[in-house]
Amino acid sequence: MCHDGRNMDSRLIVALDYPQAASALELAGRLEGLCSWLKVGLELYLAEGNSIVHELRRRGFSVFLDLKFHDIPNTIAGAVRSAAAAGAEMLTVHAAGGPAMLAAAAAAADSLPHPPRLLAVTVLTSMDHEQLAAVGVADSPARQVLRLAHMASAAGISGFVASAQEVRDLRRSFPAAALVIPGIRPSGSRTEDQKRIATPAAALADGADFLVVGRPITQAADPAAAASAILEEMRSASGVGS
Ligand code: C5P
């Protein structure tokens, strides 16, 4: 993807990992004017359903619906259509669902008048070598990410979710792909359950298009200040002052 370095506010995606709408909307209110993308994941979506997607859209945000679909192709095609109808502009499917499922997702998106951007989740950023081995994958996370990305790309999906540790290899293999990178931790912050992490500056330098940040913003004493600091780090990483 090509970017204007000044547009960092459209390249930071804040994960609204909350149990109910009130906290999510409070944070959204603090982030208005700072960033344009908010991510709704399983916790919030299962509590609030499509109404939270509608409300965030009404407030002018773009919504990344991160439900990581993984089911049979026919079910996934329907889920993609429903998610798009709900207002999701970006959504995730698990690459591990296989080529037929990914192709069904891509075809469903392409059939829509305003196709959402589909992202194939490669290897979760909380997975390391040991976790992968436990589910029967002997390869390193890096090799598995590339394998799944090639498979997803052949099935018609040109956006990937991976960790910052794989972003450089992915960018080399897929110059035009949309690379969406979670597991971002500004220097000095806690890693929590994430294993394959990087700073915002490092992820951008290696070729990330979008950075997904949750707890470093949602758990901060001043979330707006935390988001501003991350945006500032992103702007200086791309050589553009504030
Ligand atoms: O709080 P934290 O910054 O770790 O949040 C990261 C967000 O990105 C969470 O919402 C998580 O579900 C999501 N995510 C991830 N790893 C992936 C895909 C999505 O951490 N591979």
Side-chain angles (χ1 to χ4, degrees), residues 15 17 39 66 68 121 123-125 161 182 185 194 212-216:
D17 292 327
K39 183 171 91 69
D66 184 23
K68 300 188 178 68
V121 177
V123 176
L124 295 172
T125 43
V161 183
R185 292 293 178 270
Q194 298 283 22
V212 178
V213 182
R215 287 162 288 182

Side-chain angles (χ1 to χ4, degrees), residues 13-83:
I13 302 175
V14 179
L16 297 179
D17 292 327
Y18 288 112
Q20 84 295 96
S23 333
L25 293 175
E26 200 209 315
L27 181 66
R30 292 170 189 251
L31 296 176
E32 253 167 61
L34 273 180
C35 60
S36 50
W37 280 98
L38 296 176
K39 183 171 91 69
V40 174
L42 285 166
E43 183 181 17
L44 183 59
Y45 187 78
L46 290 173
E48 303 291 349
N50 284 342
S51 66
I52 187 71
V53 179
H54 297 156
E55 179 58 20
L56 294 171
R57 290 290 307 270
R58 195 188 66 74
R59 294 181 181 209
F61 289 100
S62 297
V63 176
F64 171 11
L65 190 59
D66 184 23
L67 302 182
K68 300 188 178 68
F69 298 153
H70 190 168
D71 209 314
I72 61 170
N74 186 56
T75 300
I76 292 306
V80 167
R81 288 190 291 270
S82 292

Side-chain angles (χ1 to χ4, degrees), residues 36-226:
S36 50
W37 280 98
L38 296 176
K39 183 171 91 69
V40 174
L42 285 166
E43 183 181 17
L44 183 59
Y45 187 78
L46 290 173
E48 303 291 349
N50 284 342
S51 66
I52 187 71
V53 179
H54 297 156
E55 179 58 20
L56 294 171
R57 290 290 307 270
R58 195 188 66 74
R59 294 181 181 209
F61 289 100
S62 297
V63 176
F64 171 11
L65 190 59
D66 184 23
L67 302 182
K68 300 188 178 68
F69 298 153
H70 190 168
D71 209 314
I72 61 170
N74 186 56
T75 300
I76 292 306
V80 167
R81 288 190 291 270
S82 292
E89 291 161 274
M90 204 185 267
L91 54 97
T92 40
V93 294
H94 261 294
M101 188 201 87
L102 296 171
D110 286 347
S111 72
L112 298 169
H114 301 289
R117 183 189 287 283
L118 285 189
L119 302 172
V121 177
T122 56
V123 176
L124 295 172
T125 43
S126 55
M127 302 283 280
D128 55 12
H129 213 303
E130 195 185 329
Q131 296 282 313
L132 266 187
V135 296
V137 177
D139 273 335
S140 65
R143 286 180 64 92
Q144 180 68 354
V145 165
L146 274 182
R147 172 189 293 123
L148 292 171
H150 279 285
M151 190 189 72
S153 172
I157 296 186
S158 58
F160 312 117
V161 183
S163 91
Q165 286 175 20
E166 296 90 40
V167 70
R168 196 191 294 241
D169 285 348
L170 281 171
R171 180 52 76 217
R172 204 175 295 127
S173 301
F174 304 95
L179 302 182
V180 178
I181 310 300
I184 298 297
R185 292 293 178 270
S187 13
S189 62
R190 289 203 311 253
T191 60
E192 285 114 354
D193 55 347
Q194 298 283 22
K195 300 268 173 33
R196 300 178 354 265
I197 56 171
T199 63
L204 288 180
D206 284 346
D209 294 299
F210 297 94
L211 305 185
V212 178
V213 182
R215 287 162 288 182
I217 292 174
T218 59
Q219 312 284 302
D222 183 346

